[in-house]
Amino acid sequence: MIAVGVGDSVHATPTTRGAQDVTTPVPPPPLLSMRGISKNFGAVEALVGVDLDVHAHEVVALVGDNGAGKSTLAKMVAGAITPDTGLIEIDGEPTVIPTPGAAHALGVATVFQDLALCDNLDVTSNLFLGREARVGPLRDDGYMEATARRVLDSLTSRIPSVRSQLSTLSAGQRQTVAIARTLIGDPRLVVLDEPTAALSVAATAEVLTHIERLREMGLGVILISHNMMDVLAVADRIVVLRHGRNNGVFDAATTSHEQILAAITGATSRRQSRMHALR
């Protein structure tokens, strides 16, 4: 038998191979696929023909020097800006992401560098900020607290109480709250923009553990980072951008720190980087 798949389904068609039937499973399409993405801001080419794939159960690191286009691409996934040209697919279906609300409806959650948290609120209120659970006209505080505890436990968080005021938490714990907030809406894809920037060694290790938990939970993760040690510690694949263009895709398990830096600085050409990824 030869399998013919559409989306996640697999259909079998007969073929002759001795006395046995053979089925060849068709792999599902990427959770997110971006092809030929370009964006100009006036005369500035922010992105030129960029490709990116992210699968479920996968951490894809997006790296590059300042101005390489990483944040611009992340904002497109988050619905904050739209591409001038290119194709975006979710589960193999062409789509557009014109607004953050549309991104949320598609299962995309984003944590930008500023975290967008409120110091004067407790952990639970920050997790549900703008989408409070209600029973009639009243807030359902019991449900929100129970959900907050469950989400934080799923990340193996060290935050002592969901009633802790955010202003009393460390920088690493605040990053944990920001990551936990993405899980309130049951996302499928999480974008993390420099989640370990300015964190201590211990806090960085905790955040990297949270990223691994997101992968174990079946989510796709886009990790934007300048820290190559963090990238190599948790990423499955590494996508390098240089001057708004793809300059290599690497298997993190078989790639060295030096090879990534060479692609970032331009010492390695796009063609050489792709050849390395195919080995």
Side-chain angles (χ1 to χ4, degrees):
M1 305 282 286
I2 296 177
V4 180
V6 178
D8 291 335
S9 63
V10 177
H11 306 285
T13 56
T15 186
T16 303
R17 186 177 175 181
Q20 297 181 341
D21 287 339
V22 179
T23 59
T24 304
V26 177
L31 176 58
L32 169 72
S33 179
M34 306 178 80
R35 289 290 178 271
I37 300 296
S38 296
K39 181 67 177 181
N40 288 3
F41 295 102
V44 177
E45 293 182 329
L47 295 172
V48 182
V50 170
D51 297 339
L52 176 68
D53 286 337
V54 183
H55 294 81
H57 293 278
E58 182 181 43
V59 177
V60 176
L62 193 60
V63 303
D65 209 347
N66 291 334
K70 307 182 301 297
S71 293
T72 300
L73 196 62
K75 289 176 181 178
M76 285 183 182
V77 178
I81 60 177
T82 56
D84 294 335
T85 60
L87 174 67
I88 300 176
E89 294 182 340
I90 299 291
D91 288 330
E93 295 295 328
T95 189
V96 293
I97 312 178
T99 65
H104 184 265
L106 289 168
V108 178
T110 306
V111 179
F112 291 112
Q113 291 187 57
D114 61 5
L115 301 186
L117 301 175
C118 296
D119 284 348
N120 62 321
L121 299 179
D122 64 17
V123 171
T124 298
S125 296
N126 269 282
L127 292 188
F128 283 90
L129 189 61
R131 46 188 171 183
E132 292 80 2
R134 296 184 179 275
V135 177
L138 304 177
R139 284 167 43 112
D140 191 346
D141 291 322
Y143 168 80
M144 289 191 291
E145 285 194 4
T147 302
R149 290 192 191 96
R150 175 179 57 79
V151 170
L152 290 172
D153 287 346
S154 72
L155 292 174
T156 62
S157 163
R158 297 179 182 177
I159 294 175
S161 170
V162 295
R163 296 185 178 181
S164 299
Q165 188 129 331
L166 199 78
S167 59
T168 66
L169 302 183
S170 67
Q173 289 173 325
R174 290 170 184 240
Q175 187 66 246
T176 298
V177 172
I179 293 174
R181 186 173 59 184
T182 68
L183 299 179
I184 295 298
D186 294 323
R188 305 175 61 208
L189 176 67
V190 176
V191 182
L192 302 174
D193 192 358
E194 299 286 358
T196 60
L199 295 186
S200 67
V201 173
T204 295
E206 185 171 357
V207 170
L208 295 180
T209 299
H210 297 336
I211 294 172
E212 291 176 335
R213 284 290 299 133
L214 294 177
R215 174 173 53 203
E216 291 169 4
M217 293 162 66
L219 279 64
V221 180
I222 298 176
L223 169 64
I224 299 174
S225 179
H226 280 92
N227 191 314
M228 292 304 105
M229 297 302 293
D230 294 349
V231 165
L232 291 171
V234 298
D236 298 293
R237 287 187 299 115
I238 302 169
V239 176
V240 178
L241 295 184
R242 176 171 166 77
H243 299 321
R245 296 168 170 82
N246 288 106
N247 200 43
V249 181
F250 298 86
D251 178 359
T254 59
T255 302
S256 69
H257 183 276
E258 290 75 16
Q259 289 169 321
I260 300 300
L261 287 181
I264 290 173
T265 60
T268 302
S269 70
R270 180 179 178 182
R271 181 174 180 273
Q272 289 173 320
S273 300
R274 283 184 170 177
M275 289 176 64
H276 175 83
L278 292 172
R279 289 175 184 171

